[in-house]
Amino acid sequence: MSLAYLGIGSNVNSDEHIRAGVMALRNAFGAVGLSPAYRSAAVGFSGNDFINLAARIETRMQPLELKEFLNALENSYGRRRDLPKFSDRTLDIDILMYDDLHLHCPALVLPRPEILQYAHVLRPLADLAPGLVHPATLQRMSDHWRDFAGDSSGLVTVDLLL
């Protein structure tokens, strides 16, 4: 079994889509560890605020197989892939880390660079797994969050019944 960390987000009927996505992950993988959820402004475009959280799953799927599964899950909740990268999302589930794998291929980069770039990705991951070591930097997520120099001012904890 491999351990995968996922980033989950939505800014379209967020509560509904995130609950549905988490339920689908539980149905597929069993126990799912979850971080607190955070509200933050859309990045790269003008849109509704996003709700983001991190999840931990155990899987027998290989990384590209898991990515295909997650893409199909997103599609089943109305994810549009014909829009610009920075646009509204009904459900967005990204693989952030997969074991300590380094992967650079056109379909998938691991660990996901956004972990260290955006508060809405790093904070939930650091909450969920503070001792998790980033395979490229060899630093713990809690240390990355403590030293985060980006903008985290708009990050607000929200209650979701998951």
Side-chain angles (χ1 to χ4, degrees), residues 5-8 18-19 21-23 25-26 30-38 52-57 123-125 127-129 160-162:
Y5 289 88
L6 311 174
I8 304 173
I18 288 174
R19 276 192 210 100
V22 168
M23 181 61 69
L25 291 173
R26 287 179 174 142
V32 175
L34 297 172
S35 73
Y38 291 90
N52 291 285
L53 65 149
R56 178 183 50 240
I57 61 169
R123 176 70 188 269
L125 187 56
D127 286 345
L128 177 61
L160 288 181
L161 299 176
L162 300 171

Side-chain angles (χ1 to χ4, degrees), residues 27 30 38 40 47 51 53-54 61 77 82 113 116 119 123 128 131 138 142 147 158 162:
N27 289 338
Y38 291 90
S40 62
I51 303 293
L53 65 149
M61 292 182 189
Y77 288 97
D82 59 335
L116 302 179
R123 176 70 188 269
L128 177 61
L138 302 179
S142 60
D147 299 337
V158 295
L162 300 171

Side-chain angles (χ1 to χ4, degrees), residues 4 29 57 61-70 95 98:
F29 302 104
I57 61 169
M61 292 182 189
Q62 293 301 307
L64 292 175
E65 180 185 7
L66 178 59
K67 180 178 175 24
E68 287 177 17
F69 172 84
L70 296 173
I95 305 170
Y98 184 99

Side-chain angles (χ1 to χ4, degrees), residues 23 30 40 44 47 50 53 57 77 83 87 98-99 112 115 118 120 124-125 127 129 142 146 150 152-153 155:
M23 181 61 69
S40 62
F50 272 81
L53 65 149
I57 61 169
Y77 288 97
L83 299 174
S87 60
Y98 184 99
D99 290 334
R112 194 163 177 97
I115 294 170
Y118 299 113
H120 67 269
L125 187 56
D127 286 345
S142 60
R146 182 196 65 219
S152 62
S153 61
L155 210 57

Side-chain angles (χ1 to χ4, degrees), residues 97 99-100 129-141:
M97 291 177 51
D99 290 334
D100 59 357
L132 178 66
V133 174
H134 191 287
T137 66
L138 302 179
Q139 291 183 308
R140 297 178 309 156
M141 291 300 147

